[in-house]
Every structure is written in structure tokens, then in C-alpha cells.
Amino acid sequence: MAFARTCSVALVGVEGVVVEVQADLEPGVAAFTLVGLPDKSLTESKDRVRAAVVNSGAAWPQKKLTVGLSPASVPKSGSGFDLAVAAAVLGAAERIDPRVLADIVMIGELGLDGRVRPVRGVLPAVLAAADAGYEQVVVPECAAAEASLVPGVSVLGVRSLRQLIAILADEPVPDEEQDEHGRPDPLLAGLRVPGTGAATGMHSAGTAHDHGHDLADVVGQTSARTAVEVAAAGGHHLFLEGPPGAGKTMLAERLPAILPRLGRQESLEVTAVHSVAGLLPPGKPLIDVAPYCAPHHSATMQALVGGGQGIARPGAVSLSHRGVLFLDETPEFNSQALDALRQPLEAGHVVIARSAGVVRFPAKFLMVLAANPCPCGRFSQRDDLCECPPAVIRRYQARLSGPLLDRVDLRVEVDRITRTELTAVGAGGESTATVADRVRAARERAVERLAGTPWCTNSEVPGRELRSRWYAVPGAMDEAERNLERGVLTARGLDRVLRVAWTVADLVGHDRPDATDVALALQLRTGVPRGVPMAIGALT
């Protein structure tokens, strides 16, 4: 029978669809037809596969060859189908037993010499195969560690098509020559693809923020340090406003280091997004620390929320999933791009509709905004150093819309550092390790309290559930409710004050938020002093 089939995976965002790759040989003029909605890069696989098969020592069938990708209604893109197409053709030509191929999922690009190159999205592709019930996958050798993260799946990593043919035909497996010692392996280039559009100007710094970035380096800024700690403990969004050089960026860079390490499921989610974006670092198949993305203020809406030509790529909100999205000089961002963040802030995911399909990316991140008070950065209620006209200041501050700021739980003014604070000896604050231990303990208290619910942090709990199931101490919310009546807080703002108060209570070890916890939450929300100590350590 001149027919064989095997499987591969078509990715749409971080979700995959198992595709059956069928090859049929018929008598007639030698030709190669590929059907099933392939894109340009997939159509070019005909030449890559033919050259790879011949250079691997196998004979190319001189018959009419038709390769079908089923289901035909699903658009297919990328070069990850090369390995499956080559195996199906060899199965139809009876070089490989077709029965061996039927239940194997193959993912990989072929070079003209038969080497198997890695592609983006190996992890989500293997996850899709496992969900569909497949137990065997073949991937490039350098991506085998990433594929092995999926439990219950047998992973075979191959370096060349020649090796795959020998394994499937039960023949001696040839040894492939390694590249010269000291030279980078060219096959690893497929694991990290720079300049992919959505990732331009962004990076995942999860591996760098545990070293050399300590909170003890931040001089003064008690209120801002407390806000960073509360944001990390409860997953609350944070807005830092202050003059240049006050330490806003330093605080944001040290935030990922005090976040708890990601759990197994969270790590797989983050790794899947970075794998699709081509930002997964070689040699580190699993990202187990909170990612950090800091796009430049010239980033477009597509760079922030995702997009691009054809199938949409993940943007900064997805690359910072389960981590920190830092928008420095926030008023300089495009206002439409900033307002596009409102939906993922509430939903925890972003849906991008394009002519090529609708893509859904996860986007549950901790947002940190940083801004100067005016264009010159010297505007303050305490002095008159600013030279900006009042109309310019109002116009500059109005670039951040009210609905966006209403979704930010913590708003802190970062003061200018004085000479005394900067030159004082031994006046540093608590270290990252100390704060991280307190944050981890607060998270554990929240998880224990929210056991049996779909939420893990205080920022995720809906306001209705907070008001009906988890009460503050009687009378603790009176001042916050008076602020609601006076118009200082919106209804959403009142719920967010209660969420922050629960986080403060978790940090200081209270069973329920009391008046002091709510007062601190109000001060962090409105910026109005409430006469309570700002350091968490002073409340414990």
C-alpha cells in the first residue's frame, strides 16, 4: 500500500491542534503536491524535504506524490511539519513501516543536509499532543529537554533524519559528527529567534534578578518599599510617581526577586509563551522564576498586547505572564496602547482577532507604572523648582486615563533623596531575602484561606466574594466607606482597598484586617497620610 500517515501539531497562539500528515503515492509523472491550507514557509518544505531525504541516503519516490494535512480547514504555518512530511513520504515509499508511524507525533524543521533543526513552540505542541492522547513524540535533539517537561509522553530526540530512519526501521543508528569544539552549535539558533516583532525591546530577566539586585541598595523610600512588598504579596498593580533619579526603576527591577518561585503549572504556562515567542534561552528549558518585561515607551500596541502579520505573536503582556510588566515613563507611551491594557488587566488573558484567526494568550501579570510628575520632572507640592506651566502639567498627567489608573491598587509618590539619606552609613533598608521570606509567608496564608476556590492571591478575589465571605474587623472599613461617599473612591476602588487590606493583614500575621491595615491600604491607594507606620516591619 503506497500510503502512510503520521502526526504533527499546528499552533494557534499557545494552543495546538494535532494534524494528521498523510502521504499517497500513485503511478504517473513525478510530482509533489502539498494540500491542507499551508502557508508560504510550509509550501517551501517540498524542496527542503526532498533534499533532506536524498542527502540522508534514502531514495526519493519517482511517482506522483500527494501530501495532505488534515484537518484541511485549519491553517498551518511554519517549518515544524518538515519531519512529519519526510517520515510520511518514506512510509508511503515503504522505506519505513507505515504502521510504526501512525501513532507518533513529529515536530521539527529539516535542513537540506538532513539535520533536524528546532522550531518555536515545542512545549505547547507536545502539550497539545498529550491532551489528544498521544504518548510518543519525536523532536529535535536540542529541544528534547523542553519536550520532556510534559508528563506521560515518551520523547525521542534526533539530530538528523538519518538517525530517525534507522530508529524506525530497527537498523543501527549512525553517529552524527559534532561541530568543532568551541564553536556554537548552529542548531541552537532555532531556540531563540531575535527580532520577532512582538519581542522587540523586551526581555525575560528571570535569571538575572536574583543576583546583583537587592532591595537594601534602595536608599530611603519607605513608602515605596512597602508598596513593592504589598504588590508582591498580593499581586497588586503599582504606580510610582516621582522625580528622575529617585529610585523608581531600581524598585521595579528588584520586584521579581521577592516574588515566590513559580509552581509547576505556572512554569509550564510561562515556558509555553516564551517558547512560542522564540525567547526561550538555550540550556534552560523550564522558566521557574517570575519573568520581567520592560518595553520601551515607543512600543506599539501590537508589541504590548500582541499581534503582527498573519498569526498573532505574544506581546509584552503575555511575555510577562506570572511576572512583572514594567512601563517606565508611562505618559510617553501611546495612549491607545495603554488603554488596550485595561481588558487583560481584568480578564487575565488577551484575545487578538486577525484575518488569519483568533488567538488567545495568557496575560496575568503584575503591572508597575512609573512616571515623572511633569515633563521636567521637578514638580512637587514641597518646592517650586518646576518651570512647567500648569496647563502643560495637567496635559502631561492626563495622558494616563482614569479607567486605567482605577485598576491600579497602589499609588505611591517617590520623594527626592536627600543628601543625609544618601550619605548615611548603615542606613540601608531590609534586604531582598528578608522581604521575600515575608512575601512567601503572606502568600501561603492567602492560599490557605482561599483553598477550594479558583483564586490564589488577594488581587484575584472578586469584590462581591470579599464582601460576602471574608469580612474585616467590625468598623475597620468605616473610613474607606466615608471616602466612597465623598467621591474619593469608586466602588471598584473600595473593593481594591479591601483586597490590599487583606494583603497587609497577611504580611503582618493578622487573622482579619483591622483599622490599621485598612488605613495603610487607604494611604497606599490615595496617597493621603493616615497616621500609620509605613514600614511593614513596624506593624508586625
Side-chain angles (χ1 to χ4, degrees):
M1 180 180 67
F3 175 84
R5 63 184 179 87
T6 187
C7 297
S8 190
V9 178
L11 283 179
V12 181
V14 293
E15 300 174 352
V17 178
V18 176
V19 173
E20 189 175 73
V21 181
Q22 306 168 345
D24 178 70
L25 287 173
E26 300 177 4
V29 179
F32 188 172
T33 304
L34 183 63
V35 296
L37 286 183
D39 71 343
K40 180 66 174 177
S41 61
L42 185 49
T43 302
E44 293 175 348
S45 68
K46 296 189 293 185
D47 297 320
R48 290 196 300 271
V49 169
R50 181 187 292 109
V53 168
V54 173
N55 289 329
S56 297
W60 183 260
Q62 297 301 314
K63 295 182 180 180
K64 181 181 179 182
L65 171 62
T66 303
V67 174
L69 308 176
S70 178
S73 59
V74 177
K76 291 89 179 175
S77 62
S79 56
F81 293 87
D82 289 4
L83 197 58
V85 170
V89 171
L90 292 172
E94 299 184 350
R95 177 64 179 86
I96 302 174
D97 187 350
R99 293 172 296 182
V100 177
L101 301 173
D103 296 323
I104 300 178
V105 175
M106 301 188 181
I107 305 162
E109 175 187 332
L110 286 175
L112 299 184
D113 57 354
R115 289 184 299 173
V116 182
R117 304 182 63 92
V119 293
R120 291 181 289 179
V122 169
L123 177 60
V126 177
L127 285 170
D131 291 340
Y134 290 87
E135 299 179 352
Q136 290 183 301
V137 296
V138 178
V139 298
E141 183 183 62
C142 48
E146 179 183 349
S148 299
L149 297 173
V150 181
V153 176
S154 175
V155 177
L156 172 62
V158 295
R159 193 172 182 86
S160 67
L161 179 60
R162 188 182 301 105
Q163 287 185 340
L164 178 62
I165 295 173
I167 293 171
L168 296 179
D170 198 17
E171 300 172 356
V173 180
D175 293 330
E176 294 294 337
E177 295 183 2
Q178 299 290 332
D179 293 293
E180 295 181 17
H181 181 69
R183 295 182 58 185
D185 189 343
L187 294 182
L188 295 178
L191 289 176
R192 188 175 180 90
V193 183
T196 54
T200 303
M202 309 167 199
H203 60 280
S204 170
T207 57
H209 283 266
D210 288 340
H211 308 284
H213 291 78
D214 198 298
L215 271 175
D217 300 334
V218 181
V219 177
Q221 308 300 0
T222 303
S223 299
R225 289 170 57 94
T226 299
V228 167
E229 182 175 348
V230 172
H236 305 287
H237 305 305
L238 173 62
F239 177 35
L240 300 172
E241 184 179 29
K248 302 186 295 294
T249 302
M250 288 182 66
L251 288 165
E253 288 178 341
R254 283 150 180 79
L255 178 55
I258 65 176
L259 289 173
R261 281 192 171 270
L262 303 179
R264 178 71 179 183
Q265 183 59 37
E266 295 172 338
S267 297
L268 290 177
E269 293 174 5
V270 174
T271 304
V273 174
H274 284 247
S275 178
V276 169
L279 295 176
L280 195 62
K284 187 175 178 57
L286 183 67
I287 298 177
D288 59 354
V289 293
Y292 173 85
C293 281
H296 191 260
H297 60 75
S298 62
T300 62
M301 184 184 300
Q302 289 76 17
L304 284 179
V305 301
Q309 296 181 348
I311 297 296
R313 298 293 183 187
V317 296
S318 298
L319 294 175
S320 56
H321 178 58
R322 304 290 183 183
V324 177
L325 174 65
F326 177 48
L327 303 181
D328 198 7
E329 305 292 347
T330 310
E332 302 296 338
F333 280 79
N334 180 278
S335 59
Q336 292 182 340
L338 288 177
D339 286 336
L341 299 176
R342 286 151 56 178
Q343 186 266 339
L345 283 174
E346 291 290 336
H349 62 266
V350 59
V351 178
I352 305 169
R354 294 290 186 269
S355 59
V358 179
V359 178
R360 183 180 184 273
F361 289 114
K364 189 173 294 185
F365 55 91
L366 195 163
M367 181 177 68
V368 180
L369 307 178
N372 296 327
C374 66
C376 75
R378 293 180 292 180
F379 175 74
S380 174
Q381 302 292 341
R382 304 177 182 178
D383 50 48
D384 55 354
L385 298 176
C386 177
E387 300 177 354
C388 302
V392 174
I393 297 175
R394 287 195 300 269
R395 187 162 55 247
Y396 183 81
Q397 295 178 347
R399 294 180 183 178
L400 300 180
S401 67
L404 176 64
L405 289 180
D406 198 36
R407 289 166 169 81
V408 178
D409 298 346
L410 311 172
R411 306 174 189 175
V412 179
E413 182 175 350
V414 183
D415 297 326
R416 186 181 293 107
I417 299 298
T418 64
R419 176 184 176 182
T420 303
E421 291 174 326
L422 193 61
T423 58
V425 179
E430 294 177 313
S431 66
T432 293
T434 302
V435 177
D437 290 340
R438 205 155 51 219
V439 168
R440 183 167 54 253
R443 288 267 184 133
E444 291 172 354
R445 293 190 186 98
V447 169
E448 182 179 354
R449 182 176 64 253
L450 300 174
T453 70
W455 313 297
C456 297
T457 60
N458 294 319
S459 63
E460 299 173 357
V461 183
R464 175 176 55 83
E465 296 289 338
L466 274 177
R467 294 189 299 271
S468 60
R469 296 178 60 180
W470 293 285
Y471 303 99
V473 172
M477 292 293 293
D478 290 349
E479 181 64 24
E481 292 168 358
R482 284 193 291 269
N483 277 265
L484 174 66
E485 293 176 351
R486 292 196 297 264
V488 178
L489 292 175
T490 63
R492 179 191 285 124
L494 183 65
D495 288 342
R496 293 183 180 276
V497 167
L498 183 54
R499 292 192 187 105
V500 174
W502 267 109
T503 301
V504 175
D506 289 335
L507 283 168
V508 299
H510 294 166
D511 293 334
R512 290 193 294 169
D514 58 18
T516 303
D517 300 331
V518 175
L520 179 56
L522 272 172
Q523 181 165 337
L524 292 174
R525 172 77 182 181
T526 63
V528 179
R530 306 283 171 172
V532 295
M534 286 303 299
I536 294 294
L539 297 176
T540 55

PDB file of all heavy atoms in Angstrom, residues 82 84-85 104 135 208 229 231 256 344 346-347 388 483 494 502:
ATOM      1  N   ASP A  82       8.147  19.673   8.707  1.00  0.00           N
ATOM      2  CA  ASP A  82       9.096  19.023   7.792  1.00  0.00           C
ATOM      3  C   ASP A  82       9.349  17.569   8.169  1.00  0.00           C
ATOM      4  O   ASP A  82       9.314  16.676   7.307  1.00  0.00           O
ATOM      5  CB  ASP A  82      10.433  19.784   7.797  1.00  0.00           C
ATOM      6  CG  ASP A  82      10.332  21.124   7.102  1.00  0.00           C
ATOM      7  OD1 ASP A  82       9.223  21.493   6.687  1.00  0.00           O
ATOM      8  OD2 ASP A  82      11.367  21.809   6.989  1.00  0.00           O
ATOM      9  N   ALA A  84       7.603  15.422   9.937  1.00  0.00           N
ATOM     10  CA  ALA A  84       6.438  14.557   9.737  1.00  0.00           C
ATOM     11  C   ALA A  84       6.203  14.293   8.255  1.00  0.00           C
ATOM     12  O   ALA A  84       5.858  13.165   7.862  1.00  0.00           O
ATOM     13  CB  ALA A  84       5.207  15.190  10.375  1.00  0.00           C
ATOM     14  N   VAL A  85       6.370  15.306   7.410  1.00  0.00           N
ATOM     15  CA  VAL A  85       6.180  15.110   5.969  1.00  0.00           C
ATOM     16  C   VAL A  85       7.200  14.114   5.431  1.00  0.00           C
ATOM     17  O   VAL A  85       6.864  13.199   4.659  1.00  0.00           O
ATOM     18  CB  VAL A  85       6.279  16.470   5.236  1.00  0.00           C
ATOM     19  CG1 VAL A  85       6.323  16.262   3.722  1.00  0.00           C
ATOM     20  CG2 VAL A  85       5.105  17.369   5.616  1.00  0.00           C
ATOM     21  N   ILE A 104       2.708   8.343  16.137  1.00  0.00           N
ATOM     22  CA  ILE A 104       3.834   9.170  16.581  1.00  0.00           C
ATOM     23  C   ILE A 104       3.598  10.611  16.124  1.00  0.00           C
ATOM     24  O   ILE A 104       3.200  10.845  14.981  1.00  0.00           O
ATOM     25  CB  ILE A 104       5.172   8.649  16.016  1.00  0.00           C
ATOM     26  CG1 ILE A 104       5.429   7.207  16.477  1.00  0.00           C
ATOM     27  CG2 ILE A 104       6.314   9.547  16.455  1.00  0.00           C
ATOM     28  CD1 ILE A 104       6.710   6.615  15.926  1.00  0.00           C
ATOM     29  N   GLU A 135       1.228   9.396  22.998  1.00  0.00           N
ATOM     30  CA  GLU A 135       2.221   9.078  24.020  1.00  0.00           C
ATOM     31  C   GLU A 135       3.645   9.096  23.504  1.00  0.00           C
ATOM     32  O   GLU A 135       4.570   8.950  24.292  1.00  0.00           O
ATOM     33  CB  GLU A 135       1.922   7.699  24.627  1.00  0.00           C
ATOM     34  CG  GLU A 135       0.566   7.617  25.310  1.00  0.00           C
ATOM     35  CD  GLU A 135       0.288   6.233  25.868  1.00  0.00           C
ATOM     36  OE1 GLU A 135       1.096   5.306  25.579  1.00  0.00           O
ATOM     37  OE2 GLU A 135      -0.720   6.070  26.588  1.00  0.00           O
ATOM     38  N   ALA A 208      18.249  36.864  35.892  1.00  0.00           N
ATOM     39  CA  ALA A 208      19.233  37.872  36.272  1.00  0.00           C
ATOM     40  C   ALA A 208      18.883  38.632  37.546  1.00  0.00           C
ATOM     41  O   ALA A 208      19.734  39.239  38.159  1.00  0.00           O
ATOM     42  CB  ALA A 208      19.410  38.885  35.130  1.00  0.00           C
ATOM     43  N   GLU A 229       6.489  45.658  48.430  1.00  0.00           N
ATOM     44  CA  GLU A 229       6.277  44.427  49.195  1.00  0.00           C
ATOM     45  C   GLU A 229       4.809  44.000  49.156  1.00  0.00           C
ATOM     46  O   GLU A 229       4.492  42.816  48.973  1.00  0.00           O
ATOM     47  CB  GLU A 229       6.730  44.639  50.639  1.00  0.00           C
ATOM     48  CG  GLU A 229       6.599  43.406  51.509  1.00  0.00           C
ATOM     49  CD  GLU A 229       7.171  43.633  52.906  1.00  0.00           C
ATOM     50  OE1 GLU A 229       7.857  44.656  53.103  1.00  0.00           O
ATOM     51  OE2 GLU A 229       6.928  42.778  53.786  1.00  0.00           O
ATOM     52  N   ALA A 231       2.620  44.799  46.848  1.00  0.00           N
ATOM     53  CA  ALA A 231       2.323  44.384  45.474  1.00  0.00           C
ATOM     54  C   ALA A 231       2.756  42.948  45.228  1.00  0.00           C
ATOM     55  O   ALA A 231       2.032  42.158  44.607  1.00  0.00           O
ATOM     56  CB  ALA A 231       3.015  45.327  44.489  1.00  0.00           C
ATOM     57  N   PRO A 256      10.813  41.432  40.895  1.00  0.00           N
ATOM     58  CA  PRO A 256      10.752  39.996  40.572  1.00  0.00           C
ATOM     59  C   PRO A 256      11.498  39.118  41.563  1.00  0.00           C
ATOM     60  O   PRO A 256      11.116  37.964  41.774  1.00  0.00           O
ATOM     61  CB  PRO A 256      11.396  39.922  39.171  1.00  0.00           C
ATOM     62  CG  PRO A 256      11.234  41.282  38.599  1.00  0.00           C
ATOM     63  CD  PRO A 256      11.338  42.221  39.755  1.00  0.00           C
ATOM     64  N   PRO A 344      -6.880  43.005  29.432  1.00  0.00           N
ATOM     65  CA  PRO A 344      -6.098  41.926  30.053  1.00  0.00           C
ATOM     66  C   PRO A 344      -5.887  42.116  31.552  1.00  0.00           C
ATOM     67  O   PRO A 344      -5.750  41.135  32.285  1.00  0.00           O
ATOM     68  CB  PRO A 344      -4.765  41.961  29.296  1.00  0.00           C
ATOM     69  CG  PRO A 344      -4.709  43.284  28.616  1.00  0.00           C
ATOM     70  CD  PRO A 344      -6.128  43.656  28.344  1.00  0.00           C
ATOM     71  N   GLU A 346      -8.120  43.000  33.665  1.00  0.00           N
ATOM     72  CA  GLU A 346      -9.302  42.456  34.315  1.00  0.00           C
ATOM     73  C   GLU A 346      -9.469  40.964  34.029  1.00  0.00           C
ATOM     74  O   GLU A 346      -9.802  40.189  34.921  1.00  0.00           O
ATOM     75  CB  GLU A 346     -10.553  43.211  33.840  1.00  0.00           C
ATOM     76  CG  GLU A 346     -10.633  44.639  34.325  1.00  0.00           C
ATOM     77  CD  GLU A 346     -10.903  44.740  35.818  1.00  0.00           C
ATOM     78  OE1 GLU A 346     -11.458  43.777  36.386  1.00  0.00           O
ATOM     79  OE2 GLU A 346     -10.546  45.759  36.416  1.00  0.00           O
ATOM     80  N   ALA A 347      -9.236  40.554  32.773  1.00  0.00           N
ATOM     81  CA  ALA A 347      -9.553  39.185  32.370  1.00  0.00           C
ATOM     82  C   ALA A 347      -8.424  38.194  32.636  1.00  0.00           C
ATOM     83  O   ALA A 347      -8.667  36.998  32.775  1.00  0.00           O
ATOM     84  CB  ALA A 347      -9.924  39.155  30.887  1.00  0.00           C
ATOM     85  N   CYS A 388       7.459  74.190  34.501  1.00  0.00           N
ATOM     86  CA  CYS A 388       6.417  73.848  33.526  1.00  0.00           C
ATOM     87  C   CYS A 388       5.148  74.646  33.824  1.00  0.00           C
ATOM     88  O   CYS A 388       4.734  74.746  34.986  1.00  0.00           O
ATOM     89  CB  CYS A 388       6.105  72.359  33.577  1.00  0.00           C
ATOM     90  SG  CYS A 388       7.512  71.284  33.259  1.00  0.00           S
ATOM     91  N   ASN A 483     -14.897  57.606  52.453  1.00  0.00           N
ATOM     92  CA  ASN A 483     -14.214  58.067  51.241  1.00  0.00           C
ATOM     93  C   ASN A 483     -15.033  57.759  49.991  1.00  0.00           C
ATOM     94  O   ASN A 483     -15.019  58.518  49.026  1.00  0.00           O
ATOM     95  CB  ASN A 483     -12.843  57.409  51.137  1.00  0.00           C
ATOM     96  CG  ASN A 483     -11.780  58.120  51.953  1.00  0.00           C
ATOM     97  OD1 ASN A 483     -11.039  58.954  51.466  1.00  0.00           O
ATOM     98  ND2 ASN A 483     -11.713  57.781  53.236  1.00  0.00           N
ATOM     99  N   LEU A 494     -13.070  50.885  46.313  1.00  0.00           N
ATOM    100  CA  LEU A 494     -13.341  50.377  47.650  1.00  0.00           C
ATOM    101  C   LEU A 494     -13.010  48.887  47.739  1.00  0.00           C
ATOM    102  O   LEU A 494     -12.421  48.425  48.729  1.00  0.00           O
ATOM    103  CB  LEU A 494     -14.808  50.610  48.005  1.00  0.00           C
ATOM    104  CG  LEU A 494     -15.236  50.183  49.419  1.00  0.00           C
ATOM    105  CD1 LEU A 494     -14.521  51.031  50.464  1.00  0.00           C
ATOM    106  CD2 LEU A 494     -16.750  50.290  49.571  1.00  0.00           C
ATOM    107  N   TRP A 502      -6.408  43.053  53.079  1.00  0.00           N
ATOM    108  CA  TRP A 502      -6.192  41.624  53.351  1.00  0.00           C
ATOM    109  C   TRP A 502      -4.722  41.251  53.145  1.00  0.00           C
ATOM    110  O   TRP A 502      -4.155  40.455  53.898  1.00  0.00           O
ATOM    111  CB  TRP A 502      -7.086  40.775  52.440  1.00  0.00           C
ATOM    112  CG  TRP A 502      -8.404  40.425  53.057  1.00  0.00           C
ATOM    113  CD1 TRP A 502      -9.645  40.903  52.726  1.00  0.00           C
ATOM    114  CD2 TRP A 502      -8.619  39.520  54.149  1.00  0.00           C
ATOM    115  NE1 TRP A 502     -10.609  40.358  53.530  1.00  0.00           N
ATOM    116  CE2 TRP A 502     -10.012  39.496  54.418  1.00  0.00           C
ATOM    117  CE3 TRP A 502      -7.777  38.739  54.937  1.00  0.00           C
ATOM    118  CZ2 TRP A 502     -10.567  38.715  55.424  1.00  0.00           C
ATOM    119  CZ3 TRP A 502      -8.333  37.958  55.943  1.00  0.00           C
ATOM    120  CH2 TRP A 502      -9.706  37.952  56.179  1.00  0.00           C
TER     121      TRP A 502
END
